[in-house]
Amino acid sequence: MSEQPDLGDCLRALRKTHGWTLQEVSTLTGVAVSTLSKVENDQMSLSYDKLLQICEGLGIHVTELLSGDRKQPSARTRRSVTSQSNTLRQLTRNYDYRYLATDLVRKRMVPIHAYARARTPEEFGPLTKHAGEEFLIVLKGEIELHTDQYAPVRLRVGESVYIDSTMGHAYLSVGEGDAEVLCVCSGEEPDMEGTLLSELETVEG
């Protein structure tokens, strides 16, 4: 009979399967890096409540963590149907944002339905930049994309752009009315939506 792997081995194997660092697991679960490290090195054990906290943060069942079988990551089956209840509106000087699928936590791809309000670089102010990448498609109206690396370009309905979000950028409305767009931001952060909202508060605050 094979020996049952201990908690430290299971946690380390789970981390390596998903490519998580100790810091990422700490961010997801709220458990200190030093505690996680001691567990992995068999220097301390965990209470059942703390074990549940880790599993909840990682989105797994306790049996998955303790099984010791790391050949295949467990399949994720999340789903979010857009409605008013899971849409978060954020009105800023330059955009009228509607964050979609907010009922899904710790997602790395963030869909945003937005309206561009500013019409000149002077009105917009400093260019926006943040971690990750983003894809934008124009749903209504016309926008002019300004970046700190390329000449401005205009996009009409049905046209799109993919950019590195670390590059300074601004979407300006052209013509009458506010242009309507769908933007999808992505990144390696375990909670990309939270990262974007935090940066939005910093800029607007």
Side-chain angles (χ1 to χ4, degrees), residues 148-163:
D148 57 12
Q149 299 294 324
Y150 298 92
V153 60
R154 289 197 175 188
L155 300 173
R156 298 175 176 80
V157 174
E159 296 181 328
S160 61
V161 64
Y162 192 115
I163 66 171

Side-chain angles (χ1 to χ4, degrees), residues 79-98:
R79 188 187 77 165
S80 176
V81 178
T82 300
S83 67
Q84 290 295 324
S85 65
N86 63 3
T87 297
L88 173 64
R89 185 182 183 191
Q90 295 285 295
L91 185 62
T92 72
R93 180 181 67 250
N94 294 318
Y95 302 108
D96 183 356
Y97 293 109
R98 288 167 176 80

Side-chain angles (χ1 to χ4, degrees), residues 95-113:
Y95 302 108
D96 183 356
Y97 293 109
R98 288 167 176 80
Y99 281 73
L100 309 177
T102 59
D103 52 327
L104 296 184
V105 297
R106 292 183 294 275
K107 53 184 180 291
R108 296 186 178 183
M109 183 176 70
V110 183
I112 306 170
H113 179 201

Side-chain angles (χ1 to χ4, degrees), residues 12-32:
R12 186 183 301 106
L14 181 70
R15 256 197 331 104
K16 291 183 177 180
T17 296
H18 290 273
W20 291 326
T21 64
L22 281 172
Q23 182 59 61
E24 287 174 327
V25 173
S26 176
T27 300
L28 288 168
T29 63
V31 177

Side-chain angles (χ1 to χ4, degrees), residues 4-201:
Q4 183 71 18
D6 60 32
L7 177 59
D9 290 337
C10 291
L11 181 58
R12 186 183 301 106
L14 181 70
R15 256 197 331 104
K16 291 183 177 180
T17 296
H18 290 273
W20 291 326
T21 64
L22 281 172
Q23 182 59 61
E24 287 174 327
V25 173
S26 176
T27 300
L28 288 168
T29 63
V31 177
V33 170
S34 58
T35 298
L36 296 170
S37 178
K38 288 178 181 178
V39 170
E40 287 196 4
N41 289 288
D42 297 323
Q43 296 175 356
M44 70 175 292
S45 186
L46 291 175
S47 66
Y48 187 66
D49 288 344
K50 190 68 70 175
L51 188 62
L52 288 179
Q53 179 181 336
I54 290 177
C55 292
E56 182 178 352
L58 298 179
I60 63 173
H61 194 272
V62 174
T63 55
E64 181 184 349
L65 173 60
L66 299 179
S67 68
D69 182 6
R70 301 288 161 243
K71 293 181 180 179
Q72 292 291 337
S74 60
R76 306 199 73 171
T77 57
R78 299 187 299 173
R79 188 187 77 165
S80 176
V81 178
T82 300
S83 67
Q84 290 295 324
S85 65
N86 63 3
T87 297
L88 173 64
R89 185 182 183 191
Q90 295 285 295
L91 185 62
T92 72
R93 180 181 67 250
N94 294 318
Y95 302 108
D96 183 356
Y97 293 109
R98 288 167 176 80
Y99 281 73
L100 309 177
T102 59
D103 52 327
L104 296 184
V105 297
R106 292 183 294 275
K107 53 184 180 291
R108 296 186 178 183
M109 183 176 70
V110 183
I112 306 170
H113 179 201
Y115 295 84
R117 308 176 71 199
R119 282 172 166 72
T120 66
E122 293 74 24
E123 181 183 356
F124 189 93
L127 297 179
T128 300
K129 59 174 62 177
H130 53 83
E133 304 172 341
E134 63 190 76
F135 171 83
L136 177 141
I137 185 169
V138 181
L139 303 177
K140 183 178 180 181
E142 184 178 351
I143 68 165
E144 187 170 80
L145 169 62
H146 288 249
T147 70
D148 57 12
Q149 299 294 324
Y150 298 92
V153 60
R154 289 197 175 188
L155 300 173
R156 298 175 176 80
V157 174
E159 296 181 328
S160 61
V161 64
Y162 192 115
I163 66 171
D164 286 309
S165 306
T166 50
M167 175 173 58
H169 57 280
Y171 302 109
L172 308 178
S173 276
V174 177
E176 297 182 1
D178 294 342
E180 181 181 1
V181 301
L182 176 65
C183 182
V184 180
C185 297
S186 68
E188 297 182 356
E189 288 81 356
D191 181 14
M192 188 64 186
E193 183 174 87
T195 299
L196 291 174
L197 288 171
S198 296
E199 293 180 356
L200 179 61
E201 290 177 359

